[in-house]
Amino acid sequence: MLMEPPRGYLTCVLSILIIILLTMPVITMNTERAQYDHHDGAGVRSTITDPLMKEIIFDESHRQWWSLWDTGFIGYSDLAIMMEKEGYRVSANTGSLVTNLEGQAAGDVLVLGMADRQTYSQSEIDAMLDFVNRGGGLLIMSEHEESDGSPWYTSDFLNPVSENFGITFNSNEASDADSSHPEKVIWMVTDVDVLDVQDVCLFFGNTMNLTGNAIPLATTSSTATPPNAPIIAASSYGEGRVIALTDTEFIWNGDHRIGMQYMNNSDLAKRIFEWLSNSPDAGSDTKIVPEYDLITADFFQLNLTVTGAGSITADMEGGTIEPSTINDPNGQIQFELDIQSDGYIKFKAGNDILVVNTLRSPDTNLANVLFDGRYCSRNVDESLSGMLSMAKRMRDKGILVFASSSSQDHSQYDAVFIVNPLEMPNDAQISEDTKYVLMGESYTWLYALEWPGKYSHEIRYCPMNEYAELLGLEFPHYAIYDPSEGTVNDAFRPIIHHDFGYLMKAYRSGILLNTTNMTILATGSDTAWSERLDVGERDAYVIDPVDYLSTDFSMYDDRVLGIADTDPFTNSHFGEEGTEEFTDSIISWIILSAEVNKRNGFYGQTHEFKVNTAADVNSVEVLMADGDIIKLKEGKNPGTWCGDYVVPLDSIPGDYNATIMTKENGENGFKYNINYTIDEINPWPPYKILALIVLLSCVFIIVFYAVKKRGNNSEKDQKD
C-alpha cells in the first residue's frame, strides 16, 4: 500500500515562507551623518616657544588704539607673527594687569602703547615696577601732541609710569625739514647704533627728557625742532630693563610706505625685544618641530623633527616618556608617551626649549577636535592669550582635544577650530565631513575708504575671511559698542546675550554678517550697535550711517559655528561669567548628530530618526516638512534619542528636510537639518496581493484537509 504524501505539512511550510515574505520589510538607507568614527592619534602641535620660554605681553586693558590681534592696516599682527617665529610667546592683556603680571617671569616683556584717556592706577604702576624689578622688560611707546589740543594726552597717561625710570614724555611734536624724511618733515629717520640698527623711521612722534640712569638711543638732529632731543631711550630698574620710544606707528602692519615693512623698522622691533628680554642670541640654528603640541590621550606616539642639535633631552610632567635622551638626533624621532595626568613635556636641544602640553583622556570619548594652529592662529598653551583652559574644559566634557601647527587632515576630526589666523592662508581648504568653529577678532580698516585712495596705501584683507567665505560667514571690520556699559573703554567690552539664557563679557569684540540665513546664537544688548573701526575716530563714539544696528556675535548652521571674539575663551578670562557655559554650548553643537533610516514594509513607509546629543539635553523634537513634530525618546545611554515618523499615505514622493530641535536645561537648544526621502507609497503592491491570495488559499487547504482528516478518523472509529 502506497503512503499518501504529507500534503498538509508541505502546505504549512509554504505558508510560513509566504508570511515571512510579507512581514519582512524592504529596508533602504537614506542617511545623513553628522557623527563620525572616533579615532586615536592626531594630536596637536603646541607653540614653538622661545629659547627661554619668554612671553611678550601687549597691554590692551586701557583701550589702546592698536591691537596685537588686529590684522588690518593699523594692527600689530605682523609684529606678533615675527616674534613668534623668533621663538617668543606673544599675548595681549585685556584683563587685570595687576593679577596677570604676578604670574610673569624674568625675561618676559610688557608693552604699553597709547591708551585712550585710561590712566593707569597706582596699583597697576606698582605692579609694573615690581615686574621690572624682578627682571621683566618694559617697552613704553608714546605719541605726539597736536597743537590744536591732541586726543593723545601722553603726559597724563604714560608719564606716571615712565618717570619712575627717569623718562618724561614731552607734549610736543618733532619735525626736521633738513635731515629727516624727504617727503614728510614729521617722519624722523635715524640710526640706533647701540642696537646695531640703521635707517629706521618714526612717524609723527614727540620727544622726551631724561634723568637718572636713562640714556638716549636716538635723538633728533641739530636742525630739528626741537634739536638734539631724545626720541628713543633706555633705562634700567632693579633686575629689569626699559625702553621708551616716541611713536606707536612704527610697528603698524602697514605697507611699503609706513609701519613694520618700511625701512628697517622690523629689525628695530626685533632688537628691542631681544634686549628687553635679555636674550640677544635668540633664534639659534637648532630647530625642534613637534608633530603635535597638545595631546589628549593615555598612550601616544609623538613624532619630533630636530635639526642642528647635538643632543635632545625630554622631561615629562604628568607621565613618562621614552627615550629621555638622544644623541645626534637630526631627523625625525619617535617618543612613547604614557600620560598619567595633565602635564607637559619639555624638550631641550642646545639652548632651545619647546613645550608640548598633555592632557589625560576623558572617561568617555564623545568627539575629537583639532585646533589648527597654522598661519599663526591662537596657541593652545598656558600663556595669557592661550586657550589651554578652554581645552581642559572640553576634555572634562568628553572631548579629545588636539592642536597642530603643521598640516593635518581635517576629515579625521569631528570638528576643527580655526582661531584668528594672523597670516593669509595659502591653502584655505575645508573638509566636507567636518564641522568648523571659527573664532575671530575685530580689526581696523585704514580710514575705510579715504587713505587707500589718497595715499595709495595697500589694502589688507582679513585672513579669517579666507576660511569664513568658504563656509558662508563674513567677519567685517566692526566692533560691538555699548554705551550703556559706561566709559568708552567699557563700551568696547559689551555684555553678550546667549540664546540659551546666560550672559558673557566680550573684549573689543567683532561681529558676524549673516549672509546665508544662519541661526543667531548670541548678540550684544539692545543698547549696543556695531561701530566701524577706522583709524581716525578717537572721541566718544556715536552711531552714524556707516555703522550697523545689528550686533550678531555668534551664529551657526549644520557645518560652521562662528564667534566674533577670542578673548573670553583665553586663559586670562576663562572662568569668568558665561565663558564655561558658552564653551559647553560649542561642545553640544559639535556632538549633535543625526541619521535617518527609511523602511518600506507591509504597513507602508517609516523613517527612523536617531540623534546623538550632549548629556544635558533634556528633550529632542523633529519638525517634519509637513509640519508634524515627532518627539524622540531618550535611549538607555544618555544623549541618545530615537523615534519613528510614519509617512502619510497621501504624501508626495520627493526629497525633504527635517529640523532636529534640542532643549538644554529647559532653555533653547540647537537646530540641526537633515534630509530624508519619501518614495512612492503603495502599501498593497500586486505581488503582495497575489501573496495574500496564495496565503488564504493555503489556509483554506490546511483547514480543508484538517476537517477531512478528522471526518475520516471519525468514520474509522465508528467501524471499529
Side-chain angles (χ1 to χ4, degrees), residues 437-568:
V437 179
L438 304 186
M439 304 175 70
E441 285 280 355
S442 61
Y443 62 97
T444 52
W445 202 247
L446 181 60
Y447 275 122
L449 298 176
E450 298 174 17
W451 274 24
K454 185 176 181 180
Y455 295 113
S456 300
H457 287 291
E458 300 169 10
I459 295 178
R460 292 174 59 97
Y461 296 94
C462 176
M464 174 59 83
N465 280 331
E466 295 294 302
Y467 289 101
E469 291 172 0
L470 298 175
L471 293 162
L473 280 176
E474 181 180 348
F475 290 80
H477 58 286
Y478 285 75
I480 298 177
Y481 183 84
D482 191 350
S484 69
E485 292 298 318
T487 66
V488 172
N489 191 46
D490 292 331
F492 277 106
R493 298 178 176 180
I495 298 298
I496 300 300
H497 297 252
H498 196 287
D499 190 49
F500 291 9
Y502 51 82
L503 306 177
M504 182 185 75
K505 181 180 285 293
Y507 298 85
R508 195 178 171 89
S509 164
I511 64 168
L512 293 168
L513 292 185
N514 194 353
T515 60
T516 56
N517 197 31
M518 292 189 180
T519 301
I520 305 301
L521 184 62
T523 66
S525 67
D526 293 338
T527 57
W529 66 81
S530 296
E531 184 76 23
R532 188 175 74 174
L533 292 180
D534 296 341
V535 63
E537 300 186 55
R538 298 171 181 164
D539 297 322
Y541 284 43
V542 294
I543 191 168
D544 55 53
V546 301
D547 297 330
Y548 289 141
L549 293 177
S550 64
T551 57
D552 294 338
F553 175 84
S554 179
M555 60 184 66
Y556 72 94
D557 61 16
D558 298 341
R559 291 202 57 207
V560 60
L561 189 153
I563 302 172
D565 192 17
T566 63
D567 291 309

Side-chain angles (χ1 to χ4, degrees), residues 43-312:
V44 138
R45 180 177 167 197
S46 145
T47 318
I48 299 180
T49 53
D50 70 323
L52 297 177
M53 298 296 294
K54 293 175 180 177
E55 185 172 1
I56 300 171
I57 303 168
F58 280 71
D59 182 41
E60 296 184 7
S61 64
H62 289 64
R63 196 174 172 243
Q64 276 78 4
W65 278 105
W66 326 130
S67 170
L68 186 65
W69 311 128
D70 182 354
T71 56
F73 193 94
I74 57 177
Y76 286 165
S77 61
D78 282 358
L79 177 67
I81 293 169
M82 180 182 73
M83 297 316 298
E84 283 203 359
K85 291 181 178 180
E86 286 294 313
Y88 293 81
R89 287 176 175 166
V90 183
S91 295
N93 173 65
T94 53
S96 167
L97 188 61
V98 174
T99 300
N100 290 333
L101 282 180
E102 290 177 355
Q104 300 308 130
D108 292 340
V109 179
L110 175 66
V111 181
L112 303 183
M114 275 307 304
D116 184 15
R117 308 178 189 184
Q118 299 288 316
T119 306
Y120 286 103
S121 67
Q122 188 58 50
S123 62
E124 290 175 317
I125 294 175
D126 291 341
M128 286 187 262
L129 293 176
D130 177 68
F131 167 70
V132 177
N133 185 60
R134 289 186 285 110
L138 179 63
L139 172 61
I140 308 174
M141 299 184 294
S142 72
E143 271 295 344
H144 62 279
E145 300 284 4
E146 297 174 6
S147 57
D148 60 352
S150 168
W152 299 109
Y153 298 103
T154 296
S155 58
D156 292 342
F157 297 131
L158 293 181
N159 281 345
V161 179
S162 64
E163 286 172 350
N164 292 280
F165 312 110
I167 300 168
T168 302
F169 293 102
N170 296 317
S171 298
N172 63 359
E173 56 187 51
S175 62
D176 189 351
D178 291 338
S179 60
S180 187
H181 192 278
E183 296 180 6
K184 296 180 175 61
V185 298
I186 54 177
W187 288 14
M188 299 286 108
V189 177
T190 187
D191 300 332
V192 187
D193 294 332
V194 173
L195 297 179
D196 194 24
V197 184
Q198 285 73 44
D199 294 328
V200 298
C201 184
L202 305 188
F203 307 96
F204 207 176
N206 58 330
T207 63
M208 48 190 156
N209 296 326
L210 307 180
T211 60
N213 60 357
I215 61 172
L217 301 184
T219 64
T220 61
S221 70
S222 58
T223 59
T225 305
N228 303 316
I231 53 177
I232 303 177
S235 185
S236 61
Y237 186 86
E239 299 296 321
R241 299 177 172 187
V242 179
I243 283 183
L245 193 143
T246 58
D247 180 37
T248 63
E249 300 165 9
F250 86 104
I251 50 174
W252 269 2
N253 294 333
D255 61 9
H256 65 286
R257 296 175 59 90
I258 189 172
M260 281 262 298
Q261 302 178 45
Y262 189 66
M263 301 186 78
N264 292 319
N265 285 359
S266 61
D267 290 338
L268 175 62
K270 187 187 304 181
R271 297 290 186 270
I272 286 174
F273 287 116
E274 288 176 354
W275 187 82
L276 289 174
S277 64
N278 198 19
S279 54
D281 296 325
S284 67
D285 293 334
T286 301
K287 292 187 181 298
I288 311 173
V289 181
E291 187 178 3
Y292 311 114
D293 275 350
L294 174 66
I295 300 164
T296 305
D298 296 332
F299 301 95
F300 201 83
Q301 290 182 340
L302 174 65
N303 293 321
L304 202 72
T305 302
V306 182
T307 57
S311 65
I312 184 169

Side-chain angles (χ1 to χ4, degrees), residues 633-690:
K633 295 181 180 180
E634 189 169 13
K636 294 181 180 180
N637 298 323
T640 59
W641 303 78
C642 60
D644 290 344
Y645 169 68
V646 179
V647 179
L649 297 180
D650 59 351
S651 297
I652 300 174
D655 295 327
Y656 294 90
N657 179 267
T659 301
I660 295 168
M661 302 175 294
T662 68
K663 285 191 176 181
E664 303 191 15
N665 299 320
E667 299 292 342
N668 296 333
F670 285 103
K671 298 178 181 179
Y672 182 85
N673 295 311
I674 189 168
N675 297 324
Y676 65 99
T677 300
I678 296 179
D679 295 333
E680 185 175 355
I681 301 173
N682 185 357
W684 294 99
Y687 80 91
K688 288 189 176 182
I689 296 175
L690 178 60

